[in-house]
Amino acid sequence: MPDYAHGTGDHAPEELASLVGARLGLVFSARDSDFLGAYHLAAFPGGQIRVQPNRIPGDDGEDDLHAEDLPADWVLLLTTTAAGGAALAARLDAIDGLVRIDGPT
């Protein structure tokens, strides 16, 4: 479970990964999973950031939503850190078009 989740309707997954990578000095790699679909992952000491579409492929051939309360066309940014990520989340909060949707306030 991620520490923080952000979302946007303003950026495609590739754009968001590039933007966040440049802002934080991280390199995202494109991945593909039967469970998550196509996504981008950056790892750093003590954590990782995953950028993925809200719409993920379902087992029944129909798409499912990772976050059902968000629009299907949104892109999610999920952060997981070993010691909490308040400072990281604050840096992500400053990115135009990116909205915090879950995590401590």
Side-chain angles (χ1 to χ4, degrees), residues 9-92:
D10 294 345
H11 304 287
E14 298 79 16
E15 292 174 302
L16 185 57
S18 178
L19 179 64
V20 171
R23 173 77 54 106
L24 301 179
L26 298 173
V27 175
F28 282 83
S29 61
R31 305 278 180 103
D32 197 8
S33 159
D34 289 338
F35 178 69
L36 296 174
Y39 67 100
H40 300 271
L41 183 68
F44 54 89
Q48 68 178 21
I49 298 176
R50 187 173 75 231
V51 174
Q52 71 176 63
N54 189 27
R55 186 176 307 187
I56 54 178
D59 293 337
D60 58 1
E62 297 289 322
D63 290 339
D64 296 322
L65 297 180
H66 183 82
E68 292 184 10
D69 55 329
L70 296 175
D73 62 345
W74 265 42
V75 175
L76 305 177
L77 185 144
L78 308 169
T79 60
T80 305
T81 60
L88 175 59
R91 291 180 70 188
L92 294 170

